């Protein structure tokens, strides 16, 4: 950060002062300590006003190294704790999250700018994943396969992996950590978390709850540690050979930097990167339902979800009708303080994000696009340093470069098609492959979109939008989205190492493949 864009500190009695008091009160109810920052430190900037509410200490390489070494030491005991006992700690975390749901959601709103309902939903997702992981703690298991040799047993076991490093993005400041951590803990791993530099308080609060659960059960706190800092702290985690799995969530750019470093040291990585998600709207679509799904996915979270809907591929026979309906809804979307009742669109994370949105709209216009509605800066009382915008709907003549990039803001580009093949071609012709949807009542179209010749994404939906996944399924995407899968299904396998065992309980020593050796 340069001196020219150093955020100002709010005075008492202003909106920023009120946010600072609210954040400190929530942290105190949770029982999270905010260590005093010395010189420098990390400013905690709220997107609600653009001001620095507090400063927290920033971990240097030595602190990151110490956290990793402590986690490696804690792993030596944690790995041998019975799975269901580890599950008990995660169950307790879920209880504490339930107790402090409103407190943690308030911090998420203050740091990430989410409207209250979405912030509560994010904490609920943490509670849900704890439930899921508790179930896993009694059901993780390997297979037994038929051996080709008599008197032999061929089987596999899954063992804890080691230290899991988690690097997370600002827009899901707590849920992404819980997807990784709840599952990693029941798998017997320990965790070092480098949250986004934009959301340190939510991270301190979440980890304080987990540490309370650990201490109550008599386990070392170092099973889970937070290191606060920006990219340099993340780089230290990425480079460390003691980190067996590096799970990184963020931009495609970040993933491209992280992957070669982890691969180069022989580590494992799990990448959850940017998306450029599209929905196809077919002639048979229920347009009332489609409009609701589209608006939540495109304008919800101010377009700042990895699964936000960014492209709409609409059949030419319904495009004018659909765009007309969307225009009316977009024109009435309440933009403003995310804590206020009725607000549906909160702020962008910072002025840089707004500048990138406005620049993308300029580029779209230069490419022949027409902004149908929105796409303007919005002033909010008491928050002149914040970056509020009205969500934009843009008709495009073609899928140009700007459409093929992820702009992390509420821009929905509308393209048209005439055949389903053409729609799928447009759909897949982007670098990213995270989430997708089709709105149709035609079973042939729906099944084609779900099939191997349809969407190339990790998430493919029918008659719902692209965002708002449940934790029971595996979450993640293909191509430049990184290929990782987190949360449900069998994602847990990435947090463990598979061991294949052959046991001979016969008196002979037959060799596999019929080999005769003397
Ligand atoms: P970002 O890439 O700027 O930062 C993400 C995290 O990576 C931060 O903690 C940052 O400090 C760290 N980081 C950045 N460069 C690093 C490096 N070279 N080495 C180690 N750590 C590094 O992303 P952001 O702006 O915080 O979040 C928005 C992006 O995240 C969007 O692209 C969004 O699509 C993506 N995202 C993806 C998912 C998913 O599950 N696929 C979920 C949430 C967000």
């Amino acid at each position: 950060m340069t001196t020219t864009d150093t955020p100002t500190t709010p005075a008492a009695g202003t909106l920023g002062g009120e946010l600072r008091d609210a954040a400190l009160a929530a942290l105190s109810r949770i029982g999270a300590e905010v260590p005093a920052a010395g010189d420098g430190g990390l400013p905690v900037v709220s997107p609600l006003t653009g001001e620095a509410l507090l400063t927290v200490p920033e971990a240097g390489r030595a602190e990151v190294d110490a956290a990793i070494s402590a986690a490696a030491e804690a792993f030596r005991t944690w790995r041998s704790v019975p799975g269901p006992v580890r599950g008990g700690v995660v169950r307790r975390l879920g209880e504490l999250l339930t107790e402090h749901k409103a407190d943690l959601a308030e911090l998420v709103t203050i740091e990430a700018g989410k409207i209250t309902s979405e912030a509560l939903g994010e904490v609920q997702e943490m509670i849900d994943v704890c439930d899921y992981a508790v179930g896993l703690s009694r059901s993780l298991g390997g297979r037994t396969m038929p051996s080709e040799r008599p008197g032999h047993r061929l089987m596999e076991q899954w063992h804890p992996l080691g230290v899991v490093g988690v690097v997370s993005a600002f827009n899901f400041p707590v849920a992404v950590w819980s997807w990784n951590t709840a599952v990693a803990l029941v798998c017997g791993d320990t965790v070092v978390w480098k949250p986004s530099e934009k959301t340190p308080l939510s991270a301190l609060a979440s980890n304080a709850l987990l540490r309370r659960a650990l201490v109550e059960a008599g386990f070392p706190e170092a099973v889970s540690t937070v290191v606060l800092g920006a990219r340099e702290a993340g780089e230290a985690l990425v480079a460390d050979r003691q980190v067996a799995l590096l799970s990184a969530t963020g931009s495609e750019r970040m993933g491209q930097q992280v992957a070669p470093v982890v691969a180069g040291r022989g580590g494992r990585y799990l990448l959850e990167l940017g998306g450029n998600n599209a929905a196809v709207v077919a002639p048979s679509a229920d347009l009332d339902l489609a409009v609701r799904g589209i608006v939540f996915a495109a304008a919800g979270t101010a377009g700042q979800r990895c699964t936000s809907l960014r492209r709409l591929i609409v059949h030419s026979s319904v495009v004018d009708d659909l765009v007309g309906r969307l225009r009316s809804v977009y024109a009435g979307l309440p933009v403003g303080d995310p804590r206020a009742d009725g607000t549906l669109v909160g702020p962008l994370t910072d002025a840089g994000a707004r500048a990138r949105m406005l620049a993308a709209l300029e580029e779209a216009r230069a490419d022949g696009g027409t902004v149908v509605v929105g796409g303007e800066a919005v002033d909010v009382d008491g928050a002149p340093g914040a970056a509020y915008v009205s969500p934009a709907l843009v008709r495009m003549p073609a899928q140009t470069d700007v459409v093929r990039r992820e702009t992390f803001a509420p821009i929905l580009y509308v393209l048209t098609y005439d055949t389903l093949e053409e729609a799928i071609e447009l759909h897949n012709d982007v670098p990213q492959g995270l989430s997708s949807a089709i709105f149709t009542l035609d079973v042939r179209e729906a099944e084609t979109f779900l099939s191997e010749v349809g969407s190339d994404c990790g998430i493919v939906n029918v008659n719902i939008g692209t965002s708002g996944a449940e934790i029971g399924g595996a979450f993640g995407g293909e191509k430049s989205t990184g290929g990782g899968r987190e949360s449900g299904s069998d994602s847990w396998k990435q947090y463990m190492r598979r061991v294949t065992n052959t046991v001979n309980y016969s008196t002979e020593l037959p060799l596999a493949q019929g080999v005769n050796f003397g």
Side-chain angles (χ1 to χ4, degrees), residues 248-387:
T249 300
S251 55
E252 294 155 271
R253 176 195 53 76
M254 181 274 283
Q256 283 155 12
Q257 289 164 355
V258 161
V261 178
V262 183
R265 63 172 175 79
R268 271 192 208 178
Y269 55 76
L270 194 173
L271 298 177
E272 299 283 357
L273 310 173
N276 190 354
N277 317 294
V280 173
V281 183
S284 69
D286 173 341
L287 289 189
D288 288 339
L289 183 141
V291 166
R292 299 211 310 272
I294 289 165
V295 176
F296 171 67
T301 333
Q304 297 173 115
R305 288 194 189 211
C306 51
T307 50
S308 287
L309 182 62
R310 311 205 177 280
R311 299 176 296 136
L312 207 50
I313 302 168
V314 191
H315 193 267
S316 53
S317 64
V318 291
V319 68
D320 291 337
D321 185 3
L322 181 64
V323 167
R325 292 175 192 225
L326 288 172
R327 184 201 290 120
S328 315
V329 178
Y330 265 58
L333 279 174
V335 179
D337 186 332
R339 299 166 308 160
D341 280 348
T343 298
L344 292 179
V345 183
L348 289 181
T349 183
D350 57 24
R354 183 167 62 191
R356 285 189 290 278
M357 173 174 174
L358 299 178
L361 291 172
E362 270 315 301
E363 193 176 334
R365 284 191 190 96
D367 289 344
T370 309
V371 178
V372 177
V373 60
E376 278 155 12
V378 174
D379 290 332
V380 168
D381 282 351

Side-chain angles (χ1 to χ4, degrees), residues 42-47 107-108 110-112 168-171 173 194-202 229-230 304 348-353 356:
L42 199 60
V44 182
V45 180
S46 173
L107 290 170
V108 169
I110 290 171
E111 289 192 314
S168 59
F170 81 87
N171 66 321
K194 206 299 281 176
S196 166
E197 52 274 40
K198 294 181 170 178
T199 57
L201 303 183
S202 308
Q304 297 173 115
L348 289 181
T349 183
D350 57 24
R356 285 189 290 278

